[in-house]
Each structure stands twice: as structure tokens, then as C-alpha cells.
Amino acid sequence: MSATYDAPDRRNLLDHMRQGVIGKPLDRPEGPLKVTGRAPYAAEYDLPRCAEGVLVGARVSNGRVTAIHRDEVSAMPGVLGVFADPAMLRRPAQGGAGKAPAQDVTQVDYKGQPVALVVAETFEQATAAAKALRIDYEDSSDSAHFDPDAAGVEPPKKPTDLGDLEAAMRDAPHHVDLIFRTEGHASAAMEPHAAIAAWDGGELTLHGSFQMVAYNVPELAASLGVDPARVRIVSPYVGGGFGSKLGISHDAVAAAVAARELGRPVRVVLTRQQVFESVIRRSETRQRLRLACDETGRLVGLGHEARVSNLPDEKFAEPVTQATKFLYAGDNRRLAVQVTRVARLTAGSVRAPGEAVGMQALEAAMDELAETAGIDPIALRKRNLPDKAPGEGIPFSSRTLVEALDRGAAAFGWDRRHARPCQTREGEWWIGMGVASAARVNMLAPAEARVRLHPDGRVEVESDQTDIGTGSYAILGQIAAEMLGSPIDRVTVALGDSRLPPGAGSGGSFGAASTGSAVLRACEAIRAELSSRLGVAAEELTLQDGLARGGNRSDTLVGLLGGDMLEETGRIEPGRTGKDYSQATYGAFFCEVAVNAFTAETRIRRMTGAFGFGRVLNAKTARSQCLGGMVWGIGSALTEALQFDLRDGHLVNHDLAGYHVPVHRDVPALDVILLEERDAVASPLQAKGVGELGICGAAGAVANAIYNACGVRPYRFPMTPDTLLDQMPDPF
Ligand code: MOS
């Protein structure tokens, strides 16, 4: 079978297996290791003679390093060396993109950019020397741009321009023209970035924390100028990535450079502040939404234009309009993203790049249009589902938006909502409800996985696929168990080592469906061999609990194997299905908030999310992904904002005390509805990606609930009290 996924695999193989483990809410096999602290994370390996490295960040926001006074610290206790090798200072390639940007390595682009590594026998000694290290700079901060609003913008890349949006806005009976702002986000993964590098001759082994091992190996090799075949990355457990570990970060290259020079292993662990200051931010955005509809609520005009920022030579631009492109109808369209260049750390992928911030603004605008046009907000959304992807004319693979809106509304009790704001008051609190659609593009990525069926019936699954807290170990084991008729406790899964076949990695929500499809293909090949041994056609083979049956034949699996081990490597590559169909995951959010009439503080009281993402591979881990996404949504709605000082560009809130992710107290019990469906276009598993869907639009539902509660339309995310207070109605 070709690895390229050109035609939908409508056999829906997993539906015909008998083991009954696929989709079940099974526990993560590695869970006990994690909760008992026995699962080693990147910094936790004990290597003999391991030295400790501490990175030093630039003290100026823009300029040039002119001198590093190494001699002044070299005699400090335990100091082994001060490194400022060009390889480790260059910005590492991000997002599995391959090459790092061309760059003069004495150039300082932002405050906190790593400019040196101090290595010592102990972490304390390295920290002391790093603090004492004097570095001279040529400071050109005066000529740098720190304010994205003040810097010029570049022309948009590949804008969508269809029909005449201006005319539609002018002529339509109803329209809204709104400006939204969203603040920058930190990925805020719990595990700080860390690496331990050890060379054996010319062979490097790097323990690190990564999302995409198969891409991180060539990134690291290119940074070091070595053959990728001589670089091994080990990353079996990852304490969250959220985009910040898609590419390698400075710690990995710096550890490898120093370890090579010193001839002994070196560990580099970023402090929380260094993670915030040097590893990927989500750009702040300024978004103009123009929506125009006819008397019946049909959209005739749709404009979504965004301004985002990045460093001067970075390619990434937060793809704010990604879901706007396909979600709603409207013949006259303008979608564009423009980049402005500022002296802030690299902007890149953070938790659903594009949709996370684009959908919340679009969905808030849809709510305002619904009110302007006098149409129920759910009805407005349903009325505007295009038959074909606008502008592309291709069909949708599957789309559960209507089901999500209907089932979510019923579960949430949407019928109890008052259409007009300021109708419900409980003591000091205004109460309101809001709805928003969820949408996120779906992707299949190249992946390989190896499956071994041992003579005693044990199954091994292997791939460099990572598990970033998402459940890869669980679901890959379930797929193999289901396909090979094996009890789940007979299956082991090994991941996160570049010596294993290259999986898709964890990014863009594509890990499970992509690497899972490779596992499925490997199992199909094993089944083909087993069916020929049994003497039946492959479609007739039933495997269950170690028994093989087909036609009028049967045997034990162990008997069929006859002492042999069967080993197959499965592959999947994106193909025509990715181009012939518009693929996305869909859902709906319903939220009830209380807004304090005196302080404008918002509290989430209830939230329901209904999500359709193809086959559910594990109902527990999938639900957890949705919960996590909704929690991000609450953060985006109410608390999360990177705050840069506009005078010198430094990041003011560079830790979890100042950067507020939602904590337990901010998150009420969340209700998640999984909408089972089969999307054979998306993958041979009929599964799509669920990792990021839960944030895509969530903050829009909160904004709409705030308006419904107190009559104030929020246009700034996060919707902190200060952004609402001066517009609040008389509390008495
Ligand atoms: Mo995701 S932000 O593509 O890890």
C-alpha cells in the first residue's frame, strides 16, 4: 500500500476489529511513572562528570556584543569555561523549519537574548560566575522599535481578495466594523527547556525536551555543523510544549558546544525567566473585523485583517485568519495578515497558532452582528456554513459544527439565556451567557512507526513520536492492540528517541492521527502475514485476545507465529486528500459568566464545549485535551498577557507570578461533549487532531457572555477589569 494518502480509506478498519480497546478511556500507561516522579525529564539524567552550564542573557535590547570579559570569572570557584560560540548564539531554527535565520552573531535583537554560556562544576558556581560575567555592548536601543503600533507594517503575504468588500459593507442592511486587540502569550509549558549533551567520539547524545524529534535532529546537527547521523536525541517525556519545543532552543546547542569543548557532559537548564525571555512568544494582534449580512442573516461581506509582529528576519507571522478562510460564507472577502518588526523575542507557534486569537475576535464580531441584525447567534452561524470552501471550491471532509452548536446548546441550557443584556443580577454580579464556534485546520504529517509481534504474542510499538502530555503512549498502544487482537497489557510503546522510526512529532495537533496511521499501516502488514499463515483473506481475519479466526479456520496467535517474530514498519505521507478537501475540526463553546457590577471582575461560572474531530482514539485523553484547550481559552479571555515595556522592550512579567495562566480557582467544572464521527478523508484512522481545538474560539464565548451579562462589548483580550470598568452600567 502506498504511503501517500491520496484517497480516503473508507474501509474504516478499526470499526471491524474485535478487541474493543480503541476509543476506550484507558489510563495512560506511563501515568504511574509520572506521578511518582520516576519518569525522567530532560534535566533529570545522571551522567558521570556532568558539568553545569548557565546561559547569560543580553542586558541591552538592541545592539552588539563588543567584549566578554571571561578572564574576570575564569578563576572563580569551579568555573570550567565561558562560551560564546557563534553556533550557540544564532537563533535556533524553530517549528521544525530546518534552517536558522542568517544572522550576525554579535548582534543583539532583544533583551534577554542568550549571549554567553558559563560552565562550572556545580549549578551554583555557574550561576555565580554568570552573574559576575561582565559583557560590553554597543547599545543601539534608541533606533529599535519597541511598540508594534508605532512601527510600520509590511505588505501582506498571500491575502485573500474576493469580490468587493467595501461595496458589500456599504450596501448590506447590517454590518459591523470592529477593531480587536489581543496581547501576546507565552507557551508556559510546565517543564522549563533543558538539555544534557554528551559526546562519545564524534557522536552526540542529547537528552532534551522536544516536540518534533525527527526535525530537531537536523536542526541541532546543522547548528553544530555535524552530520545528522551522528546526533541522537532522547526525549521520552516532555512536560508540555505548546509550540515552544517545536524547534530547538539555545540550551540544546549551548550544551552541545560546551560538552564538545570540555570533553565531558554538560547540562543547561533555563530558568523560568529565561524561558519567558528567550523561547518563543505568541505575537500580540490587532484585528479589524468587517462583517456584512442581508436581512436573513446571510453574510455577504467578510473582512478579517490582522497586524502581528516578529523580529526583523523571522518568517513566521501568526496566521490569524486561518479559520476565517473556510468557516463562514460571504462572497466579498478580504483576509490579510501584516507583520511589523519589533525588538521582542522570536514570535512563533503557541497553542493553536492563528485560530486561538483569530477565532475569538471573529466569534465576538459574529455575536455583535447577530445582535445588530436581530438574529439568534446560533442561527446566524448555522445560516452561514458554506457548501464548499470559499475561494477554493473544494468540499469539506466532515464538519460537526451544527451538531456541536445543537448538542452543546441543549446540554448547557442555552434556552434559558436572555437575548438582551443586563437581565440577570445576583447580588453584585451580572450574569450572562455566550456562545462561539470552534474551528481549527486539520493536518496529516509524514510519519513512520515500527510494530513487532513477538513469538509469545507481546506487541511492541516504536517511533520517535513524542508524548508532550497528550496521550501518545496510550493511543498508539490502543491502535496496535485493536489491530492485532491483543489485550492492552501485552502492548508496550517506546517513544521519543531519534533511533526509532521518525514519527510526525507533536505539533499542529497532528501527532496522534499521523503517527497513529503509521502504526495502523504496520499492523495491517502484520495482519496480512498472519492471514496468509492461517490461509484466509486479510479481510476475513479476526484477531481477538490472542486468537486468530477466519473462514472456518482458527488458531492461537502464538501457534500461528510458530516461534517467529513479525516486524513491520508502517508509513503515512500527506497526499491528495490534503488538497482535494478542506479539513478542519469543529466545535462550539457555551459559557456562563458573572461580572462584578462594581469592579468589572469576570468569573467563569460554567463552560460547555462540544467537539468533533473524527474518531475518538481514547475518550479520556481526548477529553483531557479539550479540557486543557478550554483552560487556555479562559487564560486568553481573562488573564494571559505578555507585557513588554514600550520604552526599552524588556519583558516585564517573565515568570508565572507575573504572567497569569488560569489556576484552579479560575476554572470551574468544565463540561466536554465528544462528538464521535468518522473522517476517512483525514486519516486511515478516520481521526483528526484534537490537541488545540479546545482553545479555538473559547475566549469569544467568554466575551459574548460578558456582553450578555453587563452590556459592555469587550474588544481587548484579556478582558481584565480595567478594560471594562469605565463602560460598566450604573451598579445601583
Ligand atoms: Mo503547536 S503551537 O503547533 O505545538
Side-chain angles (χ1 to χ4, degrees), residues 26 54 95 119 125 167 229 321 341 393 409 428 433 443 450 454 456 473 485 521 552 557 559 562-563 594 601 657 662:
L26 300 188
V54 169
V119 182
Q125 290 166 338
T321 61
R341 303 294 172 181
E428 311 191 339
M433 299 182 191
M443 295 167 270
R450 183 162 55 220
H454 287 273
D456 62 358
Y473 285 100
R521 290 292 192 237
N552 55 1
L557 194 56
E601 175 196 353

PDB file of all heavy atoms in Angstrom, residues 26 54 95 119 125 167 229 321 341 393 409 428 433 443 450 454 456 473 485 521 552 557 559 562-563 594 601 657 662:
ATOM      1  N   LEU A  26      -8.967   4.551  28.391  1.00  0.00           N
ATOM      2  CA  LEU A  26      -7.934   3.840  29.153  1.00  0.00           C
ATOM      3  C   LEU A  26      -6.958   4.830  29.779  1.00  0.00           C
ATOM      4  O   LEU A  26      -6.712   5.909  29.259  1.00  0.00           O
ATOM      5  CB  LEU A  26      -7.159   2.889  28.229  1.00  0.00           C
ATOM      6  CG  LEU A  26      -7.962   1.804  27.519  1.00  0.00           C
ATOM      7  CD1 LEU A  26      -7.013   0.843  26.799  1.00  0.00           C
ATOM      8  CD2 LEU A  26      -8.851   1.038  28.493  1.00  0.00           C
ATOM      9  N   VAL A  54      25.158  27.659  32.639  1.00  0.00           N
ATOM     10  CA  VAL A  54      24.121  28.680  32.843  1.00  0.00           C
ATOM     11  C   VAL A  54      24.259  29.728  31.742  1.00  0.00           C
ATOM     12  O   VAL A  54      25.346  30.274  31.521  1.00  0.00           O
ATOM     13  CB  VAL A  54      24.251  29.320  34.242  1.00  0.00           C
ATOM     14  CG1 VAL A  54      23.365  30.556  34.357  1.00  0.00           C
ATOM     15  CG2 VAL A  54      23.873  28.307  35.321  1.00  0.00           C
ATOM     16  N   GLY A  95      10.121  25.544  14.888  1.00  0.00           N
ATOM     17  CA  GLY A  95       8.960  24.946  14.232  1.00  0.00           C
ATOM     18  C   GLY A  95       9.338  23.890  13.220  1.00  0.00           C
ATOM     19  O   GLY A  95       8.672  23.715  12.217  1.00  0.00           O
ATOM     20  N   VAL A 119      30.089  27.659  32.239  1.00  0.00           N
ATOM     21  CA  VAL A 119      30.024  26.262  32.701  1.00  0.00           C
ATOM     22  C   VAL A 119      30.931  26.091  33.923  1.00  0.00           C
ATOM     23  O   VAL A 119      32.058  26.594  33.943  1.00  0.00           O
ATOM     24  CB  VAL A 119      30.462  25.294  31.581  1.00  0.00           C
ATOM     25  CG1 VAL A 119      30.343  23.845  32.053  1.00  0.00           C
ATOM     26  CG2 VAL A 119      29.615  25.508  30.336  1.00  0.00           C
ATOM     27  N   GLN A 125      27.877  27.377  41.283  1.00  0.00           N
ATOM     28  CA  GLN A 125      29.102  28.035  40.820  1.00  0.00           C
ATOM     29  C   GLN A 125      28.890  28.675  39.442  1.00  0.00           C
ATOM     30  O   GLN A 125      29.339  29.791  39.186  1.00  0.00           O
ATOM     31  CB  GLN A 125      30.254  27.020  40.746  1.00  0.00           C
ATOM     32  CG  GLN A 125      30.720  26.562  42.124  1.00  0.00           C
ATOM     33  CD  GLN A 125      31.621  25.327  42.051  1.00  0.00           C
ATOM     34  OE1 GLN A 125      31.596  24.571  41.079  1.00  0.00           O
ATOM     35  NE2 GLN A 125      32.414  25.132  43.098  1.00  0.00           N
ATOM     36  N   ALA A 167     -17.997  47.563  -1.082  1.00  0.00           N
ATOM     37  CA  ALA A 167     -19.365  47.733  -1.590  1.00  0.00           C
ATOM     38  C   ALA A 167     -20.349  46.931  -0.742  1.00  0.00           C
ATOM     39  O   ALA A 167     -21.443  47.409  -0.415  1.00  0.00           O
ATOM     40  CB  ALA A 167     -19.434  47.304  -3.058  1.00  0.00           C
ATOM     41  N   ALA A 229      23.426  12.070  11.170  1.00  0.00           N
ATOM     42  CA  ALA A 229      23.518  10.653  11.549  1.00  0.00           C
ATOM     43  C   ALA A 229      24.321  10.483  12.845  1.00  0.00           C
ATOM     44  O   ALA A 229      24.257   9.433  13.481  1.00  0.00           O
ATOM     45  CB  ALA A 229      24.160   9.845  10.428  1.00  0.00           C
ATOM     46  N   THR A 321      -5.948  34.601  10.369  1.00  0.00           N
ATOM     47  CA  THR A 321      -7.181  34.406   9.585  1.00  0.00           C
ATOM     48  C   THR A 321      -7.355  32.960   9.098  1.00  0.00           C
ATOM     49  O   THR A 321      -8.202  32.680   8.263  1.00  0.00           O
ATOM     50  CB  THR A 321      -7.174  35.329   8.356  1.00  0.00           C
ATOM     51  OG1 THR A 321      -6.042  34.995   7.538  1.00  0.00           O
ATOM     52  CG2 THR A 321      -7.054  36.784   8.772  1.00  0.00           C
ATOM     53  N   ARG A 341       7.830  44.863  12.565  1.00  0.00           N
ATOM     54  CA  ARG A 341       9.095  44.347  13.123  1.00  0.00           C
ATOM     55  C   ARG A 341       9.445  45.062  14.417  1.00  0.00           C
ATOM     56  O   ARG A 341       9.589  46.282  14.426  1.00  0.00           O
ATOM     57  CB  ARG A 341      10.217  44.535  12.106  1.00  0.00           C
ATOM     58  CG  ARG A 341       9.938  43.872  10.757  1.00  0.00           C
ATOM     59  CD  ARG A 341       9.883  42.349  10.909  1.00  0.00           C
ATOM     60  NE  ARG A 341       9.440  41.690   9.679  1.00  0.00           N
ATOM     61  CZ  ARG A 341       9.293  40.378   9.571  1.00  0.00           C
ATOM     62  NH1 ARG A 341       9.526  39.594  10.608  1.00  0.00           N
ATOM     63  NH2 ARG A 341       8.887  39.840   8.447  1.00  0.00           N
ATOM     64  N   GLY A 393     -13.300  26.271  -3.588  1.00  0.00           N
ATOM     65  CA  GLY A 393     -14.273  25.425  -4.272  1.00  0.00           C
ATOM     66  C   GLY A 393     -14.128  23.939  -3.985  1.00  0.00           C
ATOM     67  O   GLY A 393     -14.648  23.110  -4.727  1.00  0.00           O
ATOM     68  N   ALA A 409     -25.770  23.435  22.995  1.00  0.00           N
ATOM     69  CA  ALA A 409     -26.840  24.314  23.485  1.00  0.00           C
ATOM     70  C   ALA A 409     -27.784  23.552  24.403  1.00  0.00           C
ATOM     71  O   ALA A 409     -28.183  24.045  25.468  1.00  0.00           O
ATOM     72  CB  ALA A 409     -27.609  24.902  22.300  1.00  0.00           C
ATOM     73  N   GLU A 428     -24.004  41.382  43.712  1.00  0.00           N
ATOM     74  CA  GLU A 428     -23.140  42.315  42.989  1.00  0.00           C
ATOM     75  C   GLU A 428     -22.842  41.876  41.571  1.00  0.00           C
ATOM     76  O   GLU A 428     -22.088  42.530  40.862  1.00  0.00           O
ATOM     77  CB  GLU A 428     -21.766  42.432  43.675  1.00  0.00           C
ATOM     78  CG  GLU A 428     -21.771  42.672  45.118  1.00  0.00           C
ATOM     79  CD  GLU A 428     -20.371  43.024  45.622  1.00  0.00           C
ATOM     80  OE1 GLU A 428     -19.371  42.701  44.957  1.00  0.00           O
ATOM     81  OE2 GLU A 428     -20.313  43.636  46.689  1.00  0.00           O
ATOM     82  N   MET A 433     -24.693  34.753  29.392  1.00  0.00           N
ATOM     83  CA  MET A 433     -24.274  33.560  28.644  1.00  0.00           C
ATOM     84  C   MET A 433     -23.805  33.948  27.255  1.00  0.00           C
ATOM     85  O   MET A 433     -24.341  34.878  26.648  1.00  0.00           O
ATOM     86  CB  MET A 433     -25.451  32.583  28.477  1.00  0.00           C
ATOM     87  CG  MET A 433     -26.035  32.054  29.766  1.00  0.00           C
ATOM     88  SD  MET A 433     -27.349  30.874  29.349  1.00  0.00           S
ATOM     89  CE  MET A 433     -28.083  30.652  30.969  1.00  0.00           C
ATOM     90  N   MET A 443      -4.391  18.664   9.852  1.00  0.00           N
ATOM     91  CA  MET A 443      -3.255  18.292   9.005  1.00  0.00           C
ATOM     92  C   MET A 443      -2.831  16.857   9.255  1.00  0.00           C
ATOM     93  O   MET A 443      -2.925  16.362  10.369  1.00  0.00           O
ATOM     94  CB  MET A 443      -2.052  19.190   9.331  1.00  0.00           C
ATOM     95  CG  MET A 443      -2.251  20.644   8.997  1.00  0.00           C
ATOM     96  SD  MET A 443      -0.966  21.682   9.761  1.00  0.00           S
ATOM     97  CE  MET A 443      -1.714  22.092  11.337  1.00  0.00           C
ATOM     98  N   ARG A 450       7.198   1.487  13.906  1.00  0.00           N
ATOM     99  CA  ARG A 450       7.532   0.072  13.772  1.00  0.00           C
ATOM    100  C   ARG A 450       6.718  -0.715  14.790  1.00  0.00           C
ATOM    101  O   ARG A 450       6.562  -0.275  15.928  1.00  0.00           O
ATOM    102  CB  ARG A 450       9.026  -0.118  14.028  1.00  0.00           C
ATOM    103  CG  ARG A 450       9.535  -1.541  13.840  1.00  0.00           C
ATOM    104  CD  ARG A 450      11.051  -1.561  13.687  1.00  0.00           C
ATOM    105  NE  ARG A 450      11.709  -0.895  14.805  1.00  0.00           N
ATOM    106  CZ  ARG A 450      12.780  -0.109  14.678  1.00  0.00           C
ATOM    107  NH1 ARG A 450      13.316   0.127  13.502  1.00  0.00           N
ATOM    108  NH2 ARG A 450      13.322   0.446  15.751  1.00  0.00           N
ATOM    109  N   HIS A 454       5.833 -10.366  18.902  1.00  0.00           N
ATOM    110  CA  HIS A 454       6.795 -11.368  19.378  1.00  0.00           C
ATOM    111  C   HIS A 454       6.176 -12.761  19.390  1.00  0.00           C
ATOM    112  O   HIS A 454       4.949 -12.903  19.422  1.00  0.00           O
ATOM    113  CB  HIS A 454       7.266 -10.992  20.789  1.00  0.00           C
ATOM    114  CG  HIS A 454       8.197  -9.813  20.783  1.00  0.00           C
ATOM    115  ND1 HIS A 454       9.549  -9.923  20.618  1.00  0.00           N
ATOM    116  CD2 HIS A 454       7.939  -8.475  20.876  1.00  0.00           C
ATOM    117  CE1 HIS A 454      10.099  -8.721  20.633  1.00  0.00           C
ATOM    118  NE2 HIS A 454       9.144  -7.817  20.784  1.00  0.00           N
ATOM    119  N   ASP A 456       5.672 -14.802  21.596  1.00  0.00           N
ATOM    120  CA  ASP A 456       4.742 -15.087  22.706  1.00  0.00           C
ATOM    121  C   ASP A 456       3.504 -14.183  22.665  1.00  0.00           C
ATOM    122  O   ASP A 456       2.710 -14.191  23.610  1.00  0.00           O
ATOM    123  CB  ASP A 456       5.468 -14.932  24.046  1.00  0.00           C
ATOM    124  CG  ASP A 456       5.974 -13.514  24.271  1.00  0.00           C
ATOM    125  OD1 ASP A 456       5.791 -12.659  23.368  1.00  0.00           O
ATOM    126  OD2 ASP A 456       6.548 -13.250  25.344  1.00  0.00           O
ATOM    127  N   TYR A 473       1.491   7.671  24.203  1.00  0.00           N
ATOM    128  CA  TYR A 473       1.761   6.297  24.646  1.00  0.00           C
ATOM    129  C   TYR A 473       0.467   5.491  24.697  1.00  0.00           C
ATOM    130  O   TYR A 473       0.412   4.344  24.273  1.00  0.00           O
ATOM    131  CB  TYR A 473       2.400   6.290  26.042  1.00  0.00           C
ATOM    132  CG  TYR A 473       3.857   6.705  26.087  1.00  0.00           C
ATOM    133  CD1 TYR A 473       4.222   7.993  26.461  1.00  0.00           C
ATOM    134  CD2 TYR A 473       4.854   5.797  25.764  1.00  0.00           C
ATOM    135  CE1 TYR A 473       5.560   8.372  26.520  1.00  0.00           C
ATOM    136  CE2 TYR A 473       6.198   6.159  25.816  1.00  0.00           C
ATOM    137  CZ  TYR A 473       6.542   7.452  26.199  1.00  0.00           C
ATOM    138  OH  TYR A 473       7.860   7.818  26.243  1.00  0.00           O
ATOM    139  N   GLY A 485      -5.467  -7.711  17.942  1.00  0.00           N
ATOM    140  CA  GLY A 485      -6.253  -8.564  18.831  1.00  0.00           C
ATOM    141  C   GLY A 485      -5.518  -8.919  20.100  1.00  0.00           C
ATOM    142  O   GLY A 485      -5.524 -10.062  20.553  1.00  0.00           O
ATOM    143  N   ARG A 521      -0.870   1.114   9.722  1.00  0.00           N
ATOM    144  CA  ARG A 521      -0.324   0.512   8.498  1.00  0.00           C
ATOM    145  C   ARG A 521       0.637  -0.642   8.824  1.00  0.00           C
ATOM    146  O   ARG A 521       0.630  -1.673   8.151  1.00  0.00           O
ATOM    147  CB  ARG A 521       0.399   1.570   7.665  1.00  0.00           C
ATOM    148  CG  ARG A 521      -0.522   2.603   7.023  1.00  0.00           C
ATOM    149  CD  ARG A 521      -1.379   1.961   5.948  1.00  0.00           C
ATOM    150  NE  ARG A 521      -2.046   2.959   5.134  1.00  0.00           N
ATOM    151  CZ  ARG A 521      -3.371   3.029   4.963  1.00  0.00           C
ATOM    152  NH1 ARG A 521      -4.166   2.168   5.583  1.00  0.00           N
ATOM    153  NH2 ARG A 521      -3.889   3.946   4.183  1.00  0.00           N
ATOM    154  N   ASN A 552     -13.481 -20.951   8.109  1.00  0.00           N
ATOM    155  CA  ASN A 552     -13.757 -21.977   9.114  1.00  0.00           C
ATOM    156  C   ASN A 552     -12.484 -22.401   9.835  1.00  0.00           C
ATOM    157  O   ASN A 552     -12.393 -23.473  10.386  1.00  0.00           O
ATOM    158  CB  ASN A 552     -14.442 -23.179   8.461  1.00  0.00           C
ATOM    159  CG  ASN A 552     -13.614 -23.717   7.308  1.00  0.00           C
ATOM    160  OD1 ASN A 552     -12.521 -23.190   7.034  1.00  0.00           O
ATOM    161  ND2 ASN A 552     -14.105 -24.742   6.646  1.00  0.00           N
ATOM    162  N   LEU A 557      -2.733 -17.210  18.251  1.00  0.00           N
ATOM    163  CA  LEU A 557      -1.745 -16.318  17.655  1.00  0.00           C
ATOM    164  C   LEU A 557      -0.350 -16.906  17.823  1.00  0.00           C
ATOM    165  O   LEU A 557       0.457 -16.935  16.887  1.00  0.00           O
ATOM    166  CB  LEU A 557      -1.847 -14.949  18.350  1.00  0.00           C
ATOM    167  CG  LEU A 557      -1.150 -13.770  17.698  1.00  0.00           C
ATOM    168  CD1 LEU A 557      -1.607 -13.573  16.270  1.00  0.00           C
ATOM    169  CD2 LEU A 557      -1.432 -12.510  18.522  1.00  0.00           C
ATOM    170  N   GLY A 559       0.477 -19.971  18.124  1.00  0.00           N
ATOM    171  CA  GLY A 559       0.619 -21.103  17.219  1.00  0.00           C
ATOM    172  C   GLY A 559       0.924 -20.646  15.802  1.00  0.00           C
ATOM    173  O   GLY A 559       1.790 -21.203  15.115  1.00  0.00           O
ATOM    174  N   GLY A 562       4.454 -19.513  15.400  1.00  0.00           N
ATOM    175  CA  GLY A 562       5.375 -20.645  15.342  1.00  0.00           C
ATOM    176  C   GLY A 562       6.806 -20.278  15.691  1.00  0.00           C
ATOM    177  O   GLY A 562       7.754 -20.709  15.043  1.00  0.00           O
ATOM    178  N   GLY A 563       6.966 -19.427  16.676  1.00  0.00           N
ATOM    179  CA  GLY A 563       8.315 -19.051  17.111  1.00  0.00           C
ATOM    180  C   GLY A 563       8.892 -17.853  16.378  1.00  0.00           C
ATOM    181  O   GLY A 563       9.964 -17.359  16.734  1.00  0.00           O
ATOM    182  N   ALA A 594     -20.073  35.541  35.464  1.00  0.00           N
ATOM    183  CA  ALA A 594     -20.571  36.545  36.395  1.00  0.00           C
ATOM    184  C   ALA A 594     -19.599  37.718  36.307  1.00  0.00           C
ATOM    185  O   ALA A 594     -18.385  37.516  36.379  1.00  0.00           O
ATOM    186  CB  ALA A 594     -20.605  35.984  37.812  1.00  0.00           C
ATOM    187  N   GLU A 601     -14.791  42.644  37.513  1.00  0.00           N
ATOM    188  CA  GLU A 601     -14.088  41.355  37.511  1.00  0.00           C
ATOM    189  C   GLU A 601     -15.002  40.288  36.915  1.00  0.00           C
ATOM    190  O   GLU A 601     -16.185  40.211  37.258  1.00  0.00           O
ATOM    191  CB  GLU A 601     -13.723  40.968  38.948  1.00  0.00           C
ATOM    192  CG  GLU A 601     -13.103  39.581  39.062  1.00  0.00           C
ATOM    193  CD  GLU A 601     -13.099  39.021  40.481  1.00  0.00           C
ATOM    194  OE1 GLU A 601     -13.462  39.765  41.419  1.00  0.00           O
ATOM    195  OE2 GLU A 601     -12.759  37.851  40.641  1.00  0.00           O
ATOM    196  N   ALA A 657       4.511  34.157  38.207  1.00  0.00           N
ATOM    197  CA  ALA A 657       3.896  35.057  39.183  1.00  0.00           C
ATOM    198  C   ALA A 657       3.310  36.268  38.466  1.00  0.00           C
ATOM    199  O   ALA A 657       2.262  36.790  38.856  1.00  0.00           O
ATOM    200  CB  ALA A 657       4.926  35.496  40.222  1.00  0.00           C
ATOM    201  N   PRO A 662      -4.444  30.554  33.960  1.00  0.00           N
ATOM    202  CA  PRO A 662      -5.553  30.282  34.875  1.00  0.00           C
ATOM    203  C   PRO A 662      -5.144  29.215  35.885  1.00  0.00           C
ATOM    204  O   PRO A 662      -4.501  28.237  35.521  1.00  0.00           O
ATOM    205  CB  PRO A 662      -6.673  29.760  33.974  1.00  0.00           C
ATOM    206  CG  PRO A 662      -6.223  29.964  32.585  1.00  0.00           C
ATOM    207  CD  PRO A 662      -4.749  30.171  32.590  1.00  0.00           C
TER     208      PRO A 662
END
